[in-house]
Amino acid sequence: MDERRTVKVSKYLARHLRHQPEAIGLTLDEAGWVEIETLIAAAAAHGFRFTRAELDHVVTANDKQRFATEGTRIRASQGHSIEVDLGLPPATPPPYLFHGTVARHLAAIRAEGLLPMNRHDVHLSADRATATRVGARRGRPVVLPVDAAAMDRDGHVFRVSANGVWLTGTVPPGYLRFPSSH
């Protein structure tokens, strides 16, 4: 499967498993799962055809493990804008987590902290390199360390998705470490 096709299928899955399942007539269960054959048929009925082999390739080859399969079902690992309960238990975070962004967002982040925006949670990375890659999708990356240990002590709840993304409701500005050059 060529890289362009992989990206195209991955973006299609993200759109319909995270944000707009109803656009192709899908109904996800409360945890975000849908039968794989139902997904493939719904996509085909709406003019986007892919095979089970292509879907399996996207799931296994994605370096961020955005999707998970369980038996005959599939779901997005996190990043939903629709209501789902991923069933992730609270977890104790490492002392620091990281958030990748770009300089143009720093003023708003300084004022408001990190907000989930159109998602259910703020997404944080366990390492600086991953946060750098996330920030680089929108331009020159800026990585903000998050004092997760202090947040945890202060009662903020963290969960970690199957693919290692740390999730929390918000990150108030006082828990962020801003670079001095911005």
Side-chain angles (χ1 to χ4, degrees):
M1 188 168 171
D2 74 56
E3 186 60 27
R4 285 180 40 214
R5 177 71 176 161
T6 299
V7 169
K8 195 171 189 177
V9 172
S10 180
K11 286 184 177 193
Y12 189 87
L13 294 176
R15 178 176 174 210
H16 297 292
L17 295 178
R18 288 176 162 177
H19 310 296
Q20 298 178 322
E22 74 286 350
I24 60 170
L26 287 180
T27 301
L28 307 181
D29 74 11
E30 64 281 350
W33 294 104
V34 67
E35 290 291 324
I36 292 170
E37 293 307 318
T38 302
L39 168 64
I40 291 170
H46 286 82
F48 190 85
R49 296 185 187 287
F50 57 91
T51 65
R52 174 64 192 258
E54 287 175 317
L55 181 138
D56 289 343
H57 175 76
V58 167
V59 170
T60 58
N62 186 279
D63 62 337
K64 295 181 183 173
Q65 296 297 291
R66 285 189 173 108
F67 310 103
T69 57
E70 183 178 88
T72 61
R73 305 180 308 164
I74 186 170
R75 76 175 179 183
S77 296
Q78 84 282 320
H80 299 82
S81 60
I82 58 171
E83 194 62 42
V84 297
D85 179 2
L86 296 175
L88 303 173
T92 301
Y96 278 88
L97 292 168
F98 301 90
H99 182 76
T101 189
V102 291
R104 69 180 173 272
H105 297 304
L106 289 178
I109 294 170
R110 281 184 200 275
E112 302 173 13
L114 297 174
L115 303 174
M117 307 309 278
N118 68 337
R119 295 180 177 181
H120 291 286
D121 292 293
V122 171
H123 293 195
L124 302 170
S125 302
D127 61 84
R128 187 176 292 274
T130 301
T132 300
R133 284 192 303 277
V134 169
R137 294 186 312 205
R138 301 205 183 344
R140 187 170 175 206
V142 176
V143 175
L144 302 176
V146 175
D147 190 344
M151 285 183 66
D152 187 50
R153 275 193 309 275
D154 293 344
H156 293 267
V157 176
F158 288 87
R159 295 177 324 283
V160 63
S161 67
N163 62 345
V165 175
W166 284 86
L167 308 169
T168 192
T170 64
V171 179
Y175 297 104
L176 294 164
R177 304 298 174 253
F178 292 93
S180 56
S181 61
H182 292 282

